[in-house]
Amino acid sequence: MPKTYSQQFQGECVSKANSRRLVSVKGKPRFIKSSKALTFVKDIQAQAKKITPLLEKDLEAHIKIYYSSRRPDLDASLVLDALEGIWYKNDRQFKRLFLEKFLDKNNPRVEVFIREITDWNESGLGTGIYV
């Protein structure tokens, strides 16, 4: 039986691609996560229930993101980054992502459902039937 985990996280999800800031490190320009993105990651990590042992098999995720406005891009990258080392070893384990965007002005949040999968092979093609 595949292991399945889910949890709801309170807070406004931030797009990783649109949340970068330019800084200088030893005189060289570098793009790093914005303070808003770093805060979001810390908030997820503070709310996350630790899984032991960490998941090590191939994974799929269904992530529902409830934004407070229609403006943000649908991007779950920071959610996956935040849960690395708390639920699973590395976000490279994900072979399937199902993302949904919703609007909830009063209660922005992220609902994450993760499960181990066994029907994915190393060629990068699943063995299931997709319509």
Side-chain angles (χ1 to χ4, degrees):
M1 182 65 114
K3 294 178 184 173
T4 303
Y5 296 94
S6 65
Q7 188 175 342
Q8 179 175 289
F9 301 98
Q10 297 301 314
E12 183 86 49
C13 188
V14 180
S15 169
K16 186 175 184 176
N18 294 335
S19 297
R20 297 280 184 187
R21 60 186 163 138
L22 181 62
V23 297
S24 179
V25 177
K26 296 182 181 180
K28 295 183 181 182
R30 299 278 187 250
F31 284 100
I32 63 170
K33 293 175 186 167
S34 69
S35 57
K36 188 174 181 180
L38 291 171
T39 299
F40 176 71
V41 168
K42 287 179 185 175
D43 289 347
I44 292 288
Q45 291 172 336
Q47 296 175 57
K49 297 172 187 158
K50 177 98 170 137
I51 295 174
T52 53
L54 293 176
L55 300 173
E56 295 185 30
K57 296 182 180 179
D58 291 335
L59 302 171
E60 76 176 11
H62 185 160
I63 301 174
K64 297 179 180 183
I65 303 175
Y66 294 79
Y67 293 101
S68 62
S69 74
R70 295 183 183 274
R71 184 167 163 73
D73 292 340
L74 178 61
D75 184 357
S77 299
L78 288 176
V79 176
L80 296 176
D81 288 350
L83 293 172
E84 189 173 279
I86 297 174
W87 282 13
Y88 42 84
K89 285 195 168 204
N90 195 294
D91 60 8
R92 284 177 282 182
Q93 293 169 246
F94 284 95
K95 306 304 186 240
R96 288 189 208 116
L97 295 175
F98 302 94
L99 304 177
E100 292 185 272
K101 180 177 181 176
F102 298 94
L103 180 64
D104 189 337
K105 293 179 182 182
N106 300 317
N107 186 22
R109 64 192 181 278
V110 179
E111 296 174 358
V112 181
F113 307 87
I114 292 177
R115 76 177 184 106
E116 293 179 334
I117 56 174
T118 57
D119 63 345
W120 191 86
N121 61 41
E122 290 302 317
S123 71
L125 301 174
T127 57
I129 298 172
Y130 302 94
V131 180

